[in-house]
Amino acid sequence: MVLKLLRRGSMEGGELTRGEVLSLLARLAFATAASYFTVKLLVSAMDPTSKQKKDAKRKAQEVMQRLGIKEKVSVSFIFVS
């Protein structure tokens, strides 16, 4: 599998080998994953209520353990005025 592309710095057509294409894909995957986790970390760090959410989640887990509930239960409330 050979792709014909213009290489940086030259105007003549170059060829990328299979190894080069796989290397490019691997670097792209790494950069994408790094970007995702960096943004996720920044968003959680900027959330002013993140500590309160973690404490509430921990307390809810403790209550569920005391009640003997082992299944993961999701509860949401919708307030209608």
Side-chain angles (χ1 to χ4, degrees), residues 55-72:
D55 289 341
K57 187 174 183 178
R58 182 185 48 80
K59 287 179 184 179
Q61 299 241 335
E62 290 174 1
V63 169
M64 293 190 48
Q65 284 179 350
R66 278 188 267 155
L67 293 174
I69 300 173
K70 295 181 182 179
E71 297 176 16
K72 192 168 189 169

Side-chain angles (χ1 to χ4, degrees), residues 47-59:
D47 184 11
T49 62
S50 64
K51 186 177 182 206
Q52 295 165 342
K53 289 177 186 178
K54 288 178 186 176
D55 289 341
K57 187 174 183 178
R58 182 185 48 80
K59 287 179 184 179

